[in-house]
Amino acid sequence: MEKTDEIDRRILNVIQVDAALSQRDIADRVGLSQNALWRRLKRLDEAGFIQGARTRLNAAQLGLDLTVFVMVRTRNHSVEWAEGFRKHVARIPEVQELHRIGGDWDYMLKVVTRGMSGYDAVYRRITTGIELDTVTGLFSMEAMLEDRPLNVFG
Amino acid sequence: MEKTDEIDRRILNVIQVDAALSQRDIADRVGLSQNALWRRLKRLDEAGFIQGARTRLNAAQLGLDLTVFVMVRTRNHSVEWAEGFRKHVARIPEVQELHRIGGDWDYMLKVVTRGMSGYDAVYRRITTGIELDTVTGLFSMEAMLEDRPLNVFG
DNA sequence: GTTGAAACACCCTCAAT
DNA sequence: ATTGAGGGTGTTTCAAC
């Protein structure tokens, strides 16, 4: 595993917040020449720290106004069943995340969709064609903090 | 609220997956000239559909190997308390999301940190200096799906 | 690590269709 | 909506220090 120094982390922290900055601007912010920055960026990229850039869209404006965390309990805890479940929910584009968790529940999904009717359709897709024990939804009434950058320091 | 047609949604779907594509490449993928694409991108941006670009980092390689969903129950359900709680957790950089939810719990936080000792420190920061009723953590043992694009169609 | 420069790609705008 | 072209900016790779 490659190492990162303080400047590397400042670079990563800048670009994870704004991927549209020019190398000139990034270099100024972290106190490097554009040339030196370019070499560090290339190294960080080749070492696997950087996993591409994404454009963030306004979900609400696209009608995607409902976020639901879906808790799932199952009786089958085999690796095979888990992989089948992963493939099952991977086909549902409204599913943003799927975690295998410990505690009272076995899996947690984050679903972003169009209102309650959209969620109803997603719920039916999740529960159809696969055997689940218990399913319940925790509805987000307000996203008070969202999409924050990773804590690359500390 | 501005409207989007099929081509707009295809554009948004392309750039939300890869923000590093040139306008030339995007135009080819959606079947437009570079010039026409530029005008649509400008319109979509000015209409507020686009909220900037972010570089995605390899959390595990940065040592951020533990994801915990923290469930919080409180006795105070006033708007003022909620805003104070938001400011309280906003100071903790390991908190990726904070949702006010319905059901058995009042709030849910997504925390990404460095192992159990990192989570312990975050847990103490969350529960210190503010009155919470019940706090419990759901530990992600495996992120089976993560960071998926929004469903801009349908 | 730095500056400077050259070659190339990309972005933005405009003219013409 | 399209192609084509020009100027300005950004990226990538040099050489020299």
Side-chain angles (χ1 to χ4, degrees):
Chain A
M1 173 108 64
E2 300 274 338
K3 293 202 74 176
T4 54
D5 63 12
E6 176 67 20
I7 297 180
D8 284 337
R9 303 205 167 215
R10 286 167 63 190
I11 293 170
L12 293 173
N13 200 43
V14 167
I15 64 177
Q16 80 168 331
V17 172
D18 189 352
L21 287 171
S22 70
Q23 293 184 5
R24 176 77 267 141
D25 286 340
I26 304 167
D28 288 345
R29 294 196 190 192
V30 301
L32 286 178
S33 68
Q34 183 268 330
N35 199 318
L37 172 73
W38 179 83
R39 271 173 284 163
R40 279 181 184 259
L41 277 177
K42 190 182 177 188
R43 183 173 54 74
L44 289 167
D45 187 24
E46 288 170 350
F49 288 100
I50 294 169
Q51 299 188 314
R54 289 216 175 162
T55 303
R56 223 149 52 91
L57 303 181
N58 187 334
Q61 195 162 352
L62 288 161
L64 300 165
D65 55 354
L66 180 62
T67 298
V68 184
F69 294 93
V70 181
M71 317 300 289
V72 173
R73 208 179 283 130
T74 179
R75 279 195 190 85
N76 193 327
H77 298 94
S78 72
V79 176
E80 292 75 20
W81 192 92
E83 176 56 16
F85 185 54
R86 194 193 66 78
K87 285 180 180 164
H88 177 68
V89 301
R91 289 188 208 103
I92 310 172
E94 288 87 353
V95 175
Q96 304 295 308
E97 301 182 34
L98 167 63
H99 294 267
R100 187 163 60 83
I101 60 176
D104 286 346
W105 300 90
D106 296 314
Y107 298 94
M108 188 176 99
L109 297 77
K110 182 181 181 184
V111 171
V112 175
T113 186
R114 295 167 188 272
M116 198 56 73
S117 62
Y119 175 64
D120 183 44
V122 173
Y123 179 88
R124 279 187 274 109
R125 285 196 70 180
I126 293 172
T127 54
T128 298
I130 199 157
E131 196 200 346
L132 303 178
D133 190 359
T134 320
V135 180
T136 192
L138 303 179
F139 289 76
S140 172
M141 302 190 292
E142 182 188 4
M144 299 168 73
L145 293 171
E146 217 172 5
D147 225 348
R148 302 181 88 207
L150 292 171
N151 179 30
V152 299
F153 305 106
Chain B
M1 173 105 65
E2 301 273 340
K3 294 202 74 178
T4 55
D5 63 11
E6 176 67 19
I7 298 180
D8 283 338
R9 303 203 167 216
R10 286 167 62 188
I11 294 170
L12 293 173
N13 200 44
V14 168
I15 64 177
Q16 81 168 330
V17 172
D18 189 352
L21 287 171
S22 70
Q23 293 184 3
R24 175 78 265 140
D25 287 339
I26 304 167
D28 289 344
R29 294 196 192 193
V30 302
L32 286 178
S33 67
Q34 184 266 331
N35 199 316
L37 172 74
W38 179 82
R39 271 172 282 164
R40 279 182 186 259
L41 277 177
K42 190 183 176 189
R43 183 173 53 75
L44 289 167
D45 187 24
E46 289 172 349
F49 287 101
I50 294 169
Q51 298 188 315
R54 290 215 175 163
T55 303
R56 225 149 52 91
L57 303 181
N58 188 334
Q61 196 162 354
L62 288 161
L64 300 165
D65 55 354
L66 181 62
T67 298
V68 183
F69 294 93
V70 181
M71 317 299 289
V72 173
R73 207 179 282 129
T74 179
R75 280 195 190 82
N76 193 327
H77 297 95
S78 72
V79 176
E80 291 75 20
W81 192 92
E83 176 57 17
F85 185 54
R86 192 193 67 77
K87 284 180 180 164
H88 176 67
V89 302
R91 289 188 209 101
I92 309 171
E94 288 87 353
V95 175
Q96 304 296 309
E97 301 182 34
L98 167 64
H99 294 266
R100 187 163 59 83
I101 60 176
D104 286 347
W105 300 91
D106 296 315
Y107 298 93
M108 188 178 98
L109 297 76
K110 183 182 181 184
V111 170
V112 175
T113 186
R114 295 167 188 273
M116 198 55 74
S117 62
Y119 175 65
D120 184 44
V122 173
Y123 178 87
R124 280 187 274 109
R125 286 196 69 181
I126 292 173
T127 54
T128 299
I130 198 157
E131 197 200 343
L132 303 177
D133 189 358
T134 321
V135 180
T136 193
L138 303 179
F139 289 75
S140 172
M141 301 191 291
E142 182 188 4
M144 299 169 72
L145 293 172
E146 218 172 4
D147 225 348
R148 303 181 88 207
L150 292 170
N151 179 30
V152 298
F153 304 106

